Amino acid sequence: MSKPNKKRYKLEEVTAQVEEAVGGTNVEFETRAGDVLTFPHPLFTDDEWDEKVDAAETAHDKAVAILGEEQYEKYRAAGHKDAEINLLMIAVQQDMQDQIRKRPTRR
């Protein structure tokens, strides 16, 4: 069945546009110690990462799930609290929503 307005989205194009709008498939942030850490952008995560983060019950578990063990150790060594990851995720979400609103969904 065709659509009356003949619009058809191509998933690859939409994905590329969103990736460009949000700055890539990874989120980078800097710790107090100057380390640059990364984690997958919430729009581009895989099922395994999602399941680990969703299953996390405490702020500690969530921070480890988001960052992984090695990066988590650097994060904590820099003096950050587990709950600060939640603040970072909120900032990423707000930025993502702002950037997507600015971009057309079709080229």
Side-chain angles (χ1 to χ4, degrees):
M1 182 165 125
S2 66
K3 295 177 74 172
N5 61 6
K6 307 253 188 225
K7 289 182 182 179
R8 178 176 291 160
Y9 294 97
K10 292 186 179 180
L11 190 52
E12 286 182 20
E13 290 177 8
V14 171
T15 301
Q17 287 180 9
V18 171
E19 182 180 333
E20 181 182 334
V22 299
T25 59
N26 289 310
V27 173
E28 288 186 356
F29 70 100
E30 188 173 326
T31 67
R32 288 185 190 104
D35 295 315
V36 176
L37 306 181
T38 65
F39 58 88
H41 192 286
L43 289 175
F44 301 102
T45 58
D46 60 32
D47 293 340
E48 183 181 340
W49 191 88
D50 288 343
E51 288 170 10
K52 286 179 185 176
V53 173
D54 289 345
E57 293 185 13
T58 66
H60 168 78
D61 293 343
K62 188 165 290 274
V64 172
I66 289 169
L67 296 175
E69 290 285 345
E70 185 178 320
Q71 290 194 119
Y72 176 76
E73 294 302 323
K74 290 180 181 178
Y75 175 80
R76 289 295 292 181
H80 294 283
K81 297 176 185 176
D82 292 331
E84 287 180 274
I85 286 293
N86 293 328
L87 299 174
L88 181 58
M89 294 300 282
I90 290 169
V92 168
Q93 238 178 356
Q94 288 176 343
D95 186 47
M96 171 180 62
Q97 290 170 346
D98 291 344
Q99 293 304 318
I100 290 174
R101 280 189 203 114
K102 294 177 187 175
R103 298 288 293 190
T105 55
R106 293 189 326 126
R107 290 186 182 198

